[in-house]
Amino acid sequence: MGAESSPGCFGYPLSIFFIVVNEFCERFSYYGMRALLILYFRRFIGWDDNLSTAIYHTFVALCYLTPILGALIADSWLGKFKTIVSLSIVYTIGQAVTAVSSINDLTDYNKDGTPDNLSVHVALSMIGLALIALGTGGIKPCVSAFGGDQFEEGQEKQRNRFFSIFYLAINAGSLISTIVTPMLRVHECGIYSQKACYPLAFGVPAALMAVSLIVFVIGSGMYKKFQPQGNVMGKVVKCIGFALKNRFRHRSKQFPKREHWLDWAKEKYDERLISQIKMVTKVMFLYIPLPMFWALFDQYSMGTTMNGVGLLEVQPDQMQTVNAILIVVMVPIMDAVVYPLIAKCGFNFTSLKRMTVGMFLASMAFVMAAIVQLEIDKTLPVFPKQNEVQIKVLNIGNGAMNVSFPGTVVTVSQMSQSDGFMTFDVDKLTSINISSTGSPVIPVTYNFEQGHRHTLLVWAPNNYRVVKDGLNQKPEKGENGIRFINSLNESLNITMGDKVYVNVTSHNASEYQFFSLGTKNITISSTQQISQNCTKVLQSSNLEFGSAYTYVIGTQSTGCPELHMFEDISPNTVNMALQIPQYFLITCGEVVFSVTGLEFSYSQAPSNMKSVLQAGWLLTVAVGNIIVLIVAGAGQFSEQWAEYILFAALLLVVCVIFAIMARFYTYVNPAEIEAQFDDDEKKNLEKMNVYSTVTPVSQTQM
């Protein structure tokens, strides 16, 4: 059956240290590669956002569906050790193929820096990703179950702590890789031309996967390895099928009821198998509400409408990294401090109670998110509804102007703007007129687009231009939108930071481009009006988070250019530090729920179905992801806080349902039950041996 138990260290089998290091390297490899995928699809292969996102989500879903295949191979055919080694080889090849697919020079026959045959790169990357999905998914349920196998009976405490360390390794690997691999990508490399170094960024995860495999194989002599017991899943399916068929045949009242519906399989299948299937079906029934938890958990995101955290200048979209950091911190705290403290207080904090508390904490995190969102909403600008337009007046001329709208007149002095955007119902915006002292009234003729903001540029009584702004929301990812208006009499080229505004014509506006926080250098290129003696490099204001500005380029009395800054959207004012309490709650929820779920799935599974039940746990995550894909975009709330409240309520409902189901769950010790069957079989065998040793009496003797 199993090998000798491995030597110990701090009360743990030495073999688990190899398993934990293996898991750390494998997760570094997986998340490092995954962090680059969408950028690689967009920038290297040239796919649009929709196709890139669709392929990415398909790949992630595959990674969560293949665990079933890996579990079946492990429990029914190769055993966990051989399955992990075999699929890790497939996985490493997949990572290497993906890295090769990103080599720019592979098909750059004319050495111009652009691949000449993109289909080769696409084909290689798809083959690589398919192999990775098979590898990472296939080994996922086996590694955790194989780690659990290394412990002896009576080492439940150490085994539970192993699952915490295992989860810690997962998050530490993902955290470090998502920071490191994007840094590798920005390096430039290549034989014929220097481009973003995707081969290095994909190559490091491939190397880490090879290291993961080597580390795992080095520990081979120390592992407890259990032989697979034939096609377990085949037997399970046939046994369940027979039980249902037999129950249906004997459905009339003349047949006595049996304690459990699976007992109807006793006519054909032995009690050990029926007992094992009962254990698995009980747990799988308990898992029914869990995909909803994962679907809601995956919806947890916020931050792009918030300010930086203190002096750290954390980008709003980087707040997701806080989750991984908090997990790395919270796993040991929960394990070494919180759980022992609860136990000392005499409270029996069972696995299912922990999972229920995890769900409740996640629900409370959504409530906190809603409260923070309400604070954010108070600071957000109001954008026009579908039947409205918003207009502001910007005077880039040298004299004051009067602009009359239905019901109001706005006076705007030179090089200034009206007080924010004015909102009008499209049907009621019948006329707009421009006038100034001593000049006739000029009507504005323009077909305003519903649901959009517009800027009315005026520079003389009879000179105006209406510009559609193109910004109907706060800039994404906390960036800042900047556009330029040229008030000079010639076209200009403007460079700000690393972005260029080409050919901004006279008395016209550029499109918005987006920048991260900080000050940027602005260079103005002109052929005529700007003197060679003038400083052509100017500086922007200090950009913060989520703002939008219009810079009007005018001239000083010396003839040199100057910038006039006008605020279109104010920067975020709610500090992102407000997110930390809710991230703390959601992380505590995840740690209490996920780590316990891994350990519970292992402890309640019969010896021949450990991987299958781990795969069942992972399948709840996969179904959750699929739910997200199906409902994404099906219904959007106009108010984000209302969406968070709905999610909190749904999570609470799932939590209550799970708590009720858990209340009726009876914990089992599969090892004890199987040992009892072993004893019974041994006794039966001894009885049979006794009967066979009695000398039979022949007919002659009779």
Side-chain angles (χ1 to χ4, degrees):
M1 275 283 286
E4 290 297 312
S5 61
S6 68
C9 181
F10 302 115
Y12 294 87
L14 193 59
S15 54
I16 68 138
F17 293 100
F18 290 93
I19 294 167
V20 167
V21 173
N22 158 272
E23 183 65 12
F24 171 82
C25 294
E26 186 274 325
R27 290 288 88 186
F28 184 110
S29 174
Y30 173 73
Y31 282 105
M33 173 276 307
R34 208 177 87 167
L36 300 167
L37 271 187
I38 289 185
L39 270 180
Y40 171 67
F41 291 154
R42 285 179 190 161
R43 296 186 184 177
F44 187 93
I45 294 177
W47 288 339
D48 63 25
D49 283 4
N50 291 340
L51 182 58
S52 300
T53 308
I55 298 289
Y56 172 82
H57 281 302
T58 305
F59 167 71
V60 172
L62 262 178
C63 291
Y64 278 103
L65 290 171
T66 47
I68 291 293
L69 184 62
L72 293 178
I73 294 169
D75 281 348
S76 303
W77 180 32
L78 288 178
K80 297 183 194 81
F81 177 77
K82 286 181 182 173
T83 303
I84 294 166
V85 172
S86 310
L87 290 178
S88 290
I89 292 167
V90 170
Y91 191 168
T92 309
I93 293 167
Q95 288 278 34
V97 170
T98 306
V100 169
S101 79
S102 68
I103 298 173
N104 196 56
D105 303 312
L106 193 67
T107 61
D108 187 11
Y109 309 124
N110 58 7
K111 303 178 185 178
D112 64 348
T114 310
D116 298 321
N117 192 348
L118 263 179
S119 54
V120 170
H121 296 273
V122 172
L124 281 172
S125 62
M126 291 303 105
I127 291 166
L129 291 178
L131 293 174
I132 290 168
L134 176 62
T136 188
I139 68 172
K140 205 186 281 266
C142 305
V143 178
S144 53
F146 189 64
D149 285 350
Q150 305 309 306
F151 294 89
E152 301 292 333
E153 193 64 32
Q155 281 192 305
E156 283 77 15
K157 190 180 173 186
Q158 287 92 332
R159 190 182 64 207
N160 291 357
R161 188 158 285 182
F162 158 73
F163 283 109
S164 294
I165 297 165
F166 186 80
Y167 201 72
L168 185 71
I170 291 172
N171 284 280
S174 71
L175 172 65
I176 296 168
S177 67
T178 46
I179 293 167
V180 171
T181 46
M183 286 161 64
L184 296 173
R185 181 190 63 81
V186 297
H187 286 284
E188 294 195 335
C189 61
I191 301 167
Y192 308 128
S193 58
Q194 298 291 302
K195 295 277 181 183
C197 206
Y198 287 103
L200 176 64
F202 281 127
V204 168
L208 257 290
M209 191 55 224
V211 169
S212 171
L213 175 57
I214 292 162
V215 167
F216 186 73
V217 172
I218 287 171
S220 175
M222 299 180 194
Y223 300 138
K224 281 173 71 180
K225 300 169 193 168
F226 293 95
Q227 294 304 314
Q229 297 172 25
N231 185 5
V232 178
M233 276 315 287
K235 288 179 192 170
V236 169
V237 171
K238 284 176 184 172
C239 180
I240 290 172
F242 180 79
L244 292 170
K245 210 187 300 175
N246 202 25
R247 174 75 186 90
F248 185 74
R249 278 203 211 106
H250 300 87
R251 63 189 180 278
S252 67
K253 287 180 181 175
Q254 67 189 70
F255 297 104
K257 282 186 175 183
R258 296 186 186 181
E259 194 179 336
H260 193 281
W261 63 271
L262 273 166
D263 292 334
W264 288 96
K266 280 181 180 176
E267 280 84 344
K268 191 174 179 182
Y269 294 92
D270 65 276
E271 284 205 32
R272 177 193 285 259
L273 180 68
I274 293 168
S275 174
Q276 288 171 334
I277 296 170
K278 281 179 185 176
M279 293 180 215
V280 172
T281 51
K282 271 171 69 183
V283 177
M284 293 303 274
F285 175 71
L286 207 55
Y287 285 173
I288 290 170
L290 300 194
M292 199 62 196
F293 168 81
W294 288 117
L296 294 164
F297 183 85
D298 285 348
Q299 294 298 302
Y300 193 86
S301 64
M302 191 191 273
T304 59
T305 51
M306 302 183 83
N307 202 347
V309 179
L311 301 172
L312 294 174
E313 290 191 349
V314 178
Q315 294 290 343
D317 58 331
Q318 288 175 333
M319 276 301 285
Q320 302 297 331
T321 317
V322 172
N323 178 241
I325 294 168
L326 279 171
I327 285 173
V328 171
V329 173
M330 288 308 300
V331 166
I333 290 174
M334 284 285 181
D335 216 45
V337 180
V338 178
Y339 295 153
L341 211 60
I342 292 170
K344 274 189 176 176
C345 294
F347 183 67
N348 184 19
F349 202 31
T350 60
S351 297
L352 295 177
K353 283 176 186 170
R354 288 182 193 182
M355 291 170 74
T356 308
V357 167
M359 287 182 174
F360 179 74
L361 289 174
S363 174
M364 290 305 100
F366 274 108
V367 172
M368 287 198 72
I371 293 165
V372 173
Q373 189 63 49
L374 280 167
E375 288 303 307
I376 293 170
D377 287 351
K378 290 175 189 173
T379 69
L380 290 180
V382 177
F383 291 99
K385 298 187 179 75
Q386 207 51 49
N387 62 328
E388 295 175 337
V389 293
Q390 286 184 339
I391 305 167
K392 79 168 175 182
V393 182
L394 179 52
N395 180 358
I396 56 172
N398 295 319
M401 297 283 174
N402 298 316
V403 183
S404 63
F405 296 92
T408 183
V409 177
V410 178
T411 302
V412 189
S413 55
Q414 67 175 48
M415 206 53 81
S416 66
Q417 67 175 1
S418 57
D419 187 18
F421 283 88
M422 295 168 282
T423 305
F424 298 97
D425 196 302
V426 173
D427 302 329
K428 293 173 183 171
L429 191 60
T430 48
S431 66
I432 302 171
N433 296 304
I434 302 168
S435 63
S436 67
T437 310
S439 300
V441 174
I442 304 293
V444 173
T445 53
Y446 182 81
N447 187 19
F448 289 93
E449 195 172 328
Q450 293 184 26
H452 284 274
R453 286 182 156 190
H454 301 78
T455 302
L456 173 59
L457 298 179
V458 292
W459 59 95
N462 56 347
N463 292 117
Y464 71 87
R465 176 176 271 121
V466 179
V467 177
K468 191 178 95 172
D469 281 16
L471 262 187
N472 266 8
Q473 59 179 30
K474 276 264 193 185
E476 291 183 351
K477 298 180 181 175
E479 291 189 312
N480 301 277
I482 303 292
R483 66 173 174 179
F484 286 90
I485 290 176
N486 176 9
S487 71
L488 308 185
N489 293 321
E490 61 167 319
S491 294
L492 301 173
N493 289 328
I494 303 154
T495 304
M496 179 168 172
D498 59 350
K499 294 179 182 173
V500 181
Y501 297 79
V502 180
N503 195 29
V504 183
T505 55
S506 174
H507 298 98
N508 204 350
S510 69
E511 295 291 326
Y512 281 100
Q513 296 205 52
F514 298 92
F515 299 86
S516 57
L517 78 169
T519 54
K520 313 289 174 191
N521 285 336
I522 299 168
T523 308
I524 300 167
S525 303
S526 142
T527 52
Q528 304 163 20
Q529 201 169 332
I530 299 174
S531 165
Q532 294 300 314
N533 300 324
C534 295
T535 303
K536 292 188 182 179
V537 179
L538 305 168
Q539 269 210 329
S540 72
S541 60
N542 183 35
L543 303 177
E544 296 178 40
F545 291 99
S547 63
Y549 294 99
T550 296
Y551 284 107
V552 178
I553 298 171
T555 50
Q556 302 173 30
S557 55
T558 57
C560 291
E562 64 176 346
L563 290 176
H564 300 270
M565 186 183 81
F566 299 98
E567 187 180 271
D568 300 330
I569 295 173
S570 59
N572 303 339
T573 52
V574 178
N575 197 294
M576 278 201 304
L578 280 176
Q579 276 192 282
I580 292 173
Q582 69 212 44
Y583 265 105
F584 176 76
L585 275 181
I586 199 95
T587 304
C588 288
E590 184 184 351
V591 168
V592 174
F593 182 83
S594 270
V595 176
T596 311
L598 276 173
E599 178 269 317
F600 176 78
S601 301
Y602 182 88
S603 69
Q604 297 300 293
S607 60
N608 58 346
M609 298 183 210
K610 298 285 188 193
S611 297
V612 168
L613 212 45
Q614 290 287 306
W617 169 255
L618 292 167
L619 192 64
T620 65
V621 184
V623 176
N625 284 334
I626 291 163
I627 292 169
V628 171
L629 284 174
I630 292 167
V631 302
Q636 292 293 321
F637 279 77
S638 57
E639 300 290 348
Q640 182 76 63
W641 65 267
E643 194 170 336
Y644 286 140
I645 290 292
L646 175 71
F647 289 159
L650 287 172
L651 258 176
L652 214 51
V653 169
V654 172
C655 177
V656 169
I657 291 168
F658 183 78
I660 293 166
M661 291 168 77
R663 180 77 184 79
F664 295 100
Y665 182 84
T666 310
Y667 290 88
V668 294
N669 187 333
E672 272 183 19
I673 293 168
E674 286 170 5
Q676 185 64 49
F677 278 113
D678 287 340
D679 286 348
D680 292 348
E681 281 173 17
K682 204 174 174 184
K683 284 174 188 171
N684 289 339
L685 207 63
E686 283 170 1
K687 279 181 186 174
M688 286 170 70
N689 287 339
V690 167
Y691 289 135
S692 63
T693 52
V694 176
T695 310
V697 182
S698 67
Q699 282 192 347
T700 321
Q701 285 173 313
M702 285 171 72

